[in-house]
Amino acid sequence: MAAKTICVANQKGGVGKTTTAINLSTSLALGGKKTLLVDIDPQGNAGSGVGRSADGHATIYDALVAGEPMASVVQKMDIENLFFACSTIDLTGAEIELVAMPEREFRLRKSLDEIRGEFDFIIIDCPPSLGLLTINSLVASDSVLIPLQCEYYALEGLSQLLNTIKLVKARLNPELGLEGILLTMYDKRNNLSRQVAEEIVKHFSTKVFQVVVPRTVRLAECPSHGKPIYFYDKQSAATQCYLDLARQVLERSGMAVAETGADAAIRQI
């Protein structure tokens, strides 16, 4: 069975997009699912967040622009069941280079099709824009997961993103769906956080994940250590949030959690 492909997208930066892509991928891997994390953001933050760089390895740029086989881009991580496809700053120019290429919106999809059968999940970390790289990610995906910061301005770009998803679904990828909206950076002491959360739940109901990721110092610290939150602070509230998110994604995908050598907390995803 081909991997379920989920892109984590929001054109607004600083909403927890890369944090979500890293920690969802890790939690799925810990739950026994063979998972590939794809970084298609030229900033390469997912790479630093998992402690990996290109370091002479082929990258997503090579696959998209030069036609490098995707198998040569994929790196095995130290975490069991987790694999990674690295980005570099070269991707900044890919937007321009892709414009003149035939079927430019399908480049990532074709690359991932080469290895899709080897994984249970592919998670794509998109750049904070609605350019060709994000369009490629939407075309290559089965669904979109939208991290949404619990602040007023986060709501403003949501309609634009949903409209882009609608257009891609109509013209390029009829199978594309909305995986769900994940509320992030929630501060229970802040009235605005509560109001934004209530507004989103009221409008999107079942599409909002039950888990709400809190604003925590530990979650903000772990990228500088090159570790997902589970391996940086297992006791953090955010660790359990992302395990719960993985469980909900598995439930929505009709999948069970494999019994692995991981500890009891993981098997309860």
Side-chain angles (χ1 to χ4, degrees):
M1 188 177 78
K4 177 171 183 176
T5 305
I6 302 171
C7 67
V8 182
N10 192 325
Q11 78 273 25
K12 187 178 186 302
V15 299
K17 179 178 55 60
T18 298
T19 297
T20 295
I22 290 170
N23 289 294
L24 173 59
S25 299
T26 302
S27 296
L28 289 168
L30 289 167
K33 301 303 178 186
K34 193 174 179 184
T35 303
L36 171 63
L37 171 61
V38 176
D39 187 0
I40 199 168
D41 185 347
Q43 297 174 90
N45 289 337
S48 56
V50 295
R52 283 295 174 100
S53 63
D55 198 25
H57 209 276
T59 69
I60 282 292
Y61 173 86
D62 299 313
L64 281 180
V65 178
E68 187 78 23
M70 195 66 193
S72 66
V73 176
V74 174
Q75 302 182 42
K76 176 74 178 75
M77 300 295 294
D78 296 332
I79 302 165
E80 188 177 2
N81 296 314
L82 185 62
F83 297 77
F84 181 60
C86 190
S87 164
T88 66
I89 196 66
D90 291 340
L91 266 179
T92 303
E95 295 264 6
I96 298 169
E97 293 177 79
L98 287 170
V99 167
M101 292 187 175
E103 298 188 303
R104 59 191 181 188
E105 299 93 346
F106 294 85
R107 300 286 292 187
L108 181 60
R109 181 173 183 165
K110 289 182 176 180
S111 291
L112 292 178
D113 280 347
E114 299 170 12
I115 47 92
R116 214 180 290 267
E118 300 173 24
F119 296 94
D120 297 307
F121 283 93
I122 298 173
I123 308 296
I124 305 172
D125 181 30
C126 297
S129 70
L130 294 177
L132 260 179
L133 293 176
T134 296
I135 298 300
N136 262 267
S137 302
L138 293 170
V139 171
S141 298
D142 298 304
S143 60
V144 189
L145 191 157
I146 304 173
L148 195 68
Q149 188 176 0
C150 292
E151 293 185 1
Y152 173 75
Y153 287 116
L155 294 169
E156 293 193 333
L158 183 58
S159 59
Q160 185 182 2
L161 176 57
L162 292 173
N163 188 53
T164 298
I165 293 169
K166 184 179 178 181
L167 289 172
V168 169
K169 183 179 175 69
R171 300 177 185 178
L172 299 168
N173 181 8
E175 304 304 316
L176 184 64
L178 177 60
E179 186 69 24
I181 296 171
L182 176 69
L183 298 176
T184 63
M185 301 182 184
Y186 181 79
D187 184 350
K188 62 183 179 182
R189 301 164 300 179
N190 187 320
N191 285 335
L192 182 59
S193 277
R194 288 199 298 272
Q195 289 168 7
V196 170
E198 288 168 4
E199 193 74 12
I200 293 297
V201 170
K202 184 171 77 174
H203 281 88
F204 295 96
S205 184
T206 57
K207 285 299 182 181
V208 182
F209 286 103
Q210 293 173 354
V211 61
V212 178
V213 181
R215 184 185 293 276
T216 70
V217 173
R218 302 299 275 172
L219 194 58
E221 289 174 347
C222 59
S224 64
H225 295 267
K227 293 180 179 180
I229 187 63
Y230 180 85
F231 292 98
Y232 181 63
D233 184 356
K234 198 180 293 188
Q235 304 306 316
S236 168
T239 298
Q240 191 58 53
C241 284
Y242 280 111
L243 293 175
D244 287 343
L245 176 63
R247 175 181 52 76
Q248 289 180 40
V249 167
L250 288 167
E251 287 173 353
R252 292 183 182 195
S253 306
M255 297 185 190
V257 181
E259 287 292 322
T260 68
D263 60 39
I266 296 300
R267 293 200 296 271
Q268 289 172 6
I269 290 178

